[in-house]
């Protein structure tokens, strides 16, 4: 659906003091990694990754950062917002594989959904890696800990849980441990973190799937705002999830992105 | 078979990407050429960067596409860098596009963009979506069209095409005015004013409330505009509006278009729509024993 459909918020849950999940009763029929456009009439409309989708309901896990997301945090159960989508590419779901998912920020949403689907429909194993500044901000630790064939790996900057430092510090170790198995690194989060994951995949020569976010106006391949250099691929259509070869071909990845006007902003 | 010359510029085929669909960056325009277009038009550029309207800025259904992007663009400095980059990686014809709030500013901006390696410069006088900022589009006023065309022509050597609006009831007269003022070509048409309302939200869907209609619903309107303009002027026409298929493109050429602008078809048939339209045109031309587009340009005129 390319026209927003007005859906009522069915429930709002706190994931941590700054992050909420907004739930809707609707069969979105999405794949992990895809996103929807969320419209608050009179305010704006922006892309949000799908963090939960069990065919009966779906959930969007959102950080309050600016105009649209802060307004959303003021809404209550029963209020309606416009949803269109799902849009974009998804992470692959394969058997006989060891996935190492690497999440930062709201990237834990789509990777959480991926891990749930892997646990439910494949024989693959998962290291669900998540980092945050401190233990109270870690997302989906408990949601993931319940799943079969899944190990939660944690890093915090202040050392209040798991490894002290960046989550990317522990990747090489996890790859070594799974030696001999087919490995896929899947990552979604801040771009400089994702770049480290891609570099690690290249160094160890293992598969990698990266969710690359760019400013999106339409979400369905017309506005051109999310095209990346040098191949002009649209991150709302040919992305956001791209494989290792494609990610390696995107010269702006980890380097710069474009703002709402189209001007380059360097990381 | 589809080779076309417009203002002595050779095009591998007559299809050009219309301004504002993809086309923000050099890479994206290059992709459109790889996908089969004969040339590309950059998204319209203003002097300063603009973020455009808040979302929703566009929506589509089976019969029409509606947008009010609000002319977002990275500004002339960044824009020129993308145009230069495009020509570095791709030899295909490049149409620049600018818009401004006054005739003086159009001329000034034209002078700035003329340092970039563009083959044609399109003046967007017809965007219906920035009324609150710029007032009525210049494309409704014969005197404004005349003045902007003359002042811009005085400043630049690159051929200029004046982009007109199907909202004007006398579009052929206005095209004639542009020709008399020195325009080298006419781009017809921009979007026609429209609106969509969401019943459950009880308000217009576009943040800007009103927007511009393109896509299939625009085609018969655009075709008639091109037909009328062809009877009024001698300069070439870039026939744009609702072209979805090879059949549509041939109709535009029979109405008198030299080049055919394609925009919203990207939404309906994908970014590779250019290659699809080229294949369809070729197929129909074979069936109909049409050897070249010159053979059929304007052929729908002068029939009893
Ligand atoms: C494919 C895709 C998926 C996305 N998925 C999610 C998701 O699941 N959950 C989610 O919360 N957001 C997600 N986003 C980001 C979301 O679309 C908005 O950009 C974000 O909510 C900010 O919008 P805003 O209007 O609230 O803030 P704005 O008014 O745009 O920004 C206010 C300030 O916050 C800063 N800012 C903007 N975005 C962020 C950010 N993500 N983190 C930190 N600072 C920021 C800006 O630089 C600005 O200074 C996704 C984006 C894309 C492209
Ligand atoms: C999303 C969108 C953005 C547009 N932006 C511009 C623009 O910046 N400048 C311009 O001259 N025309 C702009 N147009 C108009 C198109 O160039 C074209 O004239 C119109 O859409 C009709 O052609 P179509 O039906 O093939 O899309 C835009 C159209 C759309 C759909």
């Amino acid at each position: 659906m390319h026209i927003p459909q007005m859906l009522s918020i069915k429930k709002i849950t706190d994931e941590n003091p700054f992050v909420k999940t907004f739930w809707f009763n609707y069969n979105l029929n999405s794949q992990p990694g895809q996103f929807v456009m969320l419209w608050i009439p009179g305010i704006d409309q922006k892309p949000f990754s799908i963090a939960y989708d069990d065919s009966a309901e779906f959930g969007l896990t959102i950080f309050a950062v600016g105009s649209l997301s802060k307004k959303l945090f003021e809404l209550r159960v029963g209020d309606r917002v416009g949803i269109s989508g799902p849009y974009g590419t998804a992470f692959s779901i394969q058997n006989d594989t060891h996935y190492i998912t690497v999440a930062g920020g709201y990237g834990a949403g789509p990777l959480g959904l991926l891990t749930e689907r892997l646990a439910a429909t494949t024989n693959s194993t998962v290291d669900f890696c998540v980092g945050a500044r401190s233990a109270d901000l870690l997302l989906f630790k408990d949601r993931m800990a319940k799943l079969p064939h899944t190990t939660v790996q944690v890093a915090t900057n202040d050392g209040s849980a798991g490894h002290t430092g960046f989550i990317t510090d522990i990747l090489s170790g996890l790859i070594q441990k799974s030696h001999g198995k087919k490995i896929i690194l899947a990552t979604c989060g801040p771009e400089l973190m994702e770049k480290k994951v891609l570099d690690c995949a290249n160094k160890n020569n293992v598969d990698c799937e990266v969710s690359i976010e760019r400013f999106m106006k339409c979400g369905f391949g017309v506005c051109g705002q999310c095209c990346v250099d040098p191949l002009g691929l649209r991150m709302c259509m040919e992305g956001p999830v791209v494989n290792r070869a494609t990610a390696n071909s995107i010269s702006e990845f980890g380097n710069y992105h474009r703002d709402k006007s189209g001007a380059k902003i360097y990381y | 078979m589809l080779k076309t010359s417009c203002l002595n510029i050779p095009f591998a085929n007559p299809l050009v990407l219309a301004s504002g669909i993809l086309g923000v960056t050099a890479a994206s325009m290059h992709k459109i050429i790889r996908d089969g277009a004969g040339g590309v038009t950059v998204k319209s550029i203003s002097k300063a960067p603009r973020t455009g309207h808040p979302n929703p800025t566009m929506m589509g259904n089976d019969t029409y596409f509606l947008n009010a992007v609000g002319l977002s663009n990275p500004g002339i400095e960044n824009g020129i860098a993308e145009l230069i980059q495009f020509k570095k990686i791709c030899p295909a014809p490049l149409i620049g596009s600018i818009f401004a709030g006054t005739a003086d500013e159009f001329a000034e901006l034209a002078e700035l963009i003329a340092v970039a390696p563009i083959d044609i410069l399109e003046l967007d006088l017809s965007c219906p979506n920035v009324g609150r900022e710029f007032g009525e589009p210049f494309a409704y006023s014969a005197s404004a069209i005349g003045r902007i065309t003359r002042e811009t022509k005085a400043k630049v050597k690159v051929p200029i095409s004046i982009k007109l609006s199907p909202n004007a009831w006398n579009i052929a007269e206005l095209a004639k005015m542009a020709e008399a003022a020195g325009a080298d070509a006419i781009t017809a048409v921009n979007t026609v004013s429209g609106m969509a309302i969401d019943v459950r939200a009880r308000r217009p869907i576009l943040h800007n409330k009103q927007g511009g209609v393109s896509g299939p619903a625009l085609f018969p309107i655009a075709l008639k505009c091109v037909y009328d303009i062809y009877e009024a002027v001698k300069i070439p026409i870039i026939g744009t509006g609702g072209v979805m298929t090879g059949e549509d493109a041939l109709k535009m050429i029979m109405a008198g278009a030299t080049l055919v602008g394609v925009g919203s078809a990207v939404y309906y048939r994908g970014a590779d729509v250019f290659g699809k339209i080229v294949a369809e045109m070729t197929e129909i031309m074979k069936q109909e024993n049409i050897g070249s587009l010159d053979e059929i340009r304007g052929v729908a005129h002068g029939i009893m």
Side-chain angles (χ1 to χ4, degrees):
Chain A
M1 47 179 177
H2 295 315
I3 297 181
Q5 175 148 343
M6 299 307 294
L7 300 179
S8 337
I9 299 169
K10 188 198 126 203
K11 135 180 117 176
I12 301 172
T13 50
D14 291 329
E15 300 291 358
N16 77 27
F18 309 99
V19 180
K20 291 185 195 295
T21 297
F22 295 80
W23 296 86
F24 303 89
N25 263 343
Y26 186 83
N27 180 5
L28 199 59
N29 215 345
S30 74
Q31 297 300 317
Q34 289 191 298
F35 64 94
V36 294
M37 297 297 285
L38 181 149
W39 175 38
I40 303 181
I43 307 292
D44 213 330
Q45 177 201 39
K46 291 200 172 162
F48 291 95
S49 300
I50 298 145
Y52 297 82
D53 179 3
D54 69 359
S55 357
E57 54 180 19
F58 73 93
L60 307 175
T61 298
I62 296 180
F63 284 53
V65 292
S67 55
L68 178 84
S69 52
K70 284 185 176 154
K71 183 75 197 173
L72 188 63
F73 272 50
E74 292 169 14
L75 299 187
R76 293 158 194 243
V77 169
D79 287 343
R80 287 197 285 194
V81 297
I83 298 284
S84 40
Y87 295 124
T89 54
F91 293 104
S92 67
I93 295 188
Q94 295 183 31
N95 274 308
D96 307 320
T97 303
H98 182 64
Y99 281 78
I100 304 174
T101 68
V102 191
Y106 53 76
L111 291 175
L113 181 59
L114 170 67
T115 305
E116 278 175 354
R117 296 273 172 99
L118 288 167
T121 63
T122 72
N123 63 4
S124 292
T125 48
V126 184
D127 275 314
F128 181 87
C129 308
V130 60
R133 263 176 295 132
S134 55
D136 53 330
L137 300 179
L138 287 166
L139 286 178
F140 302 141
K141 219 172 102 226
D142 302 336
R143 175 185 174 197
M144 294 299 111
K146 287 190 275 204
L147 298 173
H149 343 280
T150 303
T151 314
V152 179
Q153 310 283 355
V154 166
T156 50
N157 300 126
D158 68 358
S160 50
H163 169 78
T164 305
F166 294 115
I167 191 71
T168 43
D169 301 341
I170 66 170
L171 290 186
S172 292
L174 293 175
I175 293 172
Q176 303 314 325
K177 244 177 40 195
S178 310
H179 189 72
K181 252 191 128 171
K182 181 176 178 213
I183 294 174
I184 296 181
L185 294 184
T187 183
C188 185
E191 190 148 322
L192 297 179
M193 178 202 87
E194 293 181 338
K195 181 72 169 72
K196 283 192 201 165
V197 177
L198 178 66
D199 289 345
C200 179
N202 286 330
K203 206 171 98 212
N204 291 281
N205 193 26
V206 296
D207 280 355
C208 187
E209 297 177 3
V210 189
S211 174
I212 300 182
E213 283 176 15
R214 285 295 178 265
F215 198 95
M216 291 171 186
K217 283 187 179 156
C218 64
F220 46 72
V222 171
C223 73
Q225 213 68 33
C226 66
C227 291
V228 291
D229 293 340
L231 295 179
L233 302 174
R234 300 163 294 181
M235 285 303 103
C236 70
M237 297 286 286
E238 288 83 42
V241 180
V242 298
N243 65 22
R244 181 176 140 203
T246 304
N248 282 330
S249 79
I250 297 173
S251 56
E252 68 173 68
F253 179 64
N255 191 8
Y256 61 87
H257 61 111
R258 286 180 169 82
D259 69 9
K260 196 180 177 189
S261 78
K264 286 181 193 171
I265 303 193
Y266 287 83
Y267 284 108
Chain B
M1 188 156 46
L2 294 180
K3 280 205 186 92
T4 301
S5 165
C6 179
L7 302 167
N8 293 320
I9 303 153
F11 287 77
N13 68 63
L15 305 182
V16 295
L17 174 70
S19 179
I21 292 87
L22 302 171
V24 179
T25 65
S28 145
M29 292 190 286
H30 185 209
K31 172 88 168 40
I32 292 292
I33 297 292
R34 294 200 304 277
D35 282 336
V40 288
T41 314
V42 74
K43 166 119 185 107
S44 299
I45 297 171
S46 56
K47 209 164 151 189
R50 292 169 56 91
T51 52
H53 299 307
N55 264 352
T57 48
M58 55 190 90
M59 53 146 281
N61 64 23
D62 287 351
T63 47
Y64 63 86
F65 197 82
L66 183 69
N67 92 86
V69 171
L71 293 169
S72 64
N73 77 92
I76 186 71
E77 222 169 286
N78 295 313
I80 286 176
E82 295 290 346
L83 298 172
I84 292 173
Q85 173 64 12
F86 174 81
K87 274 289 174 170
K88 260 192 213 156
I89 55 179
C90 181
L94 172 61
I95 304 176
S97 173
I98 54 172
F99 75 94
T102 64
D104 291 351
E105 212 180 296
F106 258 110
E108 187 191 340
L109 198 53
E111 225 177 343
L112 291 173
I113 201 175
V115 307
I118 52 174
D119 298 284
I120 298 173
L121 175 59
E122 197 168 272
L123 306 191
D124 178 8
L125 307 190
S126 45
C127 179
N129 304 329
V130 286
R132 245 169 289 163
E133 222 175 319
F134 295 106
E136 292 283 282
F138 296 118
Y140 299 171
S141 151
S143 63
I145 292 170
R147 186 152 166 242
I148 293 168
T149 307
R150 266 191 308 277
E151 292 196 13
T152 306
K153 272 307 279 184
K155 289 279 171 64
V156 297
K157 287 208 184 63
V158 62
I160 68 169
S161 184
I162 302 298
K163 187 160 182 182
L164 295 178
S165 166
N167 283 334
W169 61 274
N170 55 344
I171 192 167
E173 278 306 305
L174 297 171
K176 216 165 161 170
M177 178 62 86
E179 181 183 44
D184 301 281
I186 299 291
T187 304
V189 291
N190 211 313
T191 52
V192 67
S193 284
M195 178 179 272
I197 288 176
D198 187 287
V199 167
R200 282 160 195 86
R202 305 180 183 203
R203 59 158 74 216
I205 294 178
L206 296 180
H207 188 92
N208 188 50
K209 300 189 177 77
Q210 71 121 20
V213 176
S214 58
L218 183 59
F219 182 71
I221 299 167
L223 192 65
K224 166 79 159 59
C225 289
V226 169
Y227 189 94
D228 290 350
I229 293 168
Y230 186 77
E231 306 228 313
V233 304
K234 298 208 163 53
I235 52 179
I237 304 165
I238 306 177
T240 307
V243 173
M244 298 290 127
T245 62
E247 184 108 12
D248 293 343
L250 290 170
K251 290 175 190 171
M252 273 291 183
I253 288 167
M254 289 185 176
T258 298
L259 298 175
V260 177
V262 175
S264 304
V266 166
Y267 170 75
Y268 291 93
R269 303 184 67 197
D272 56 350
V273 64
F274 295 89
K276 291 177 186 162
I277 296 179
V278 161
E280 289 157 4
M281 290 175 81
T282 309
E283 182 59 31
I284 297 170
M285 287 169 73
K286 276 191 203 141
Q287 286 165 8
E288 292 293 313
N289 286 318
I290 301 167
S292 78
L293 296 174
D294 289 342
E295 240 176 87
I296 55 162
R297 186 161 305 106
V299 77
H301 295 262
I303 311 274
M304 298 299 277

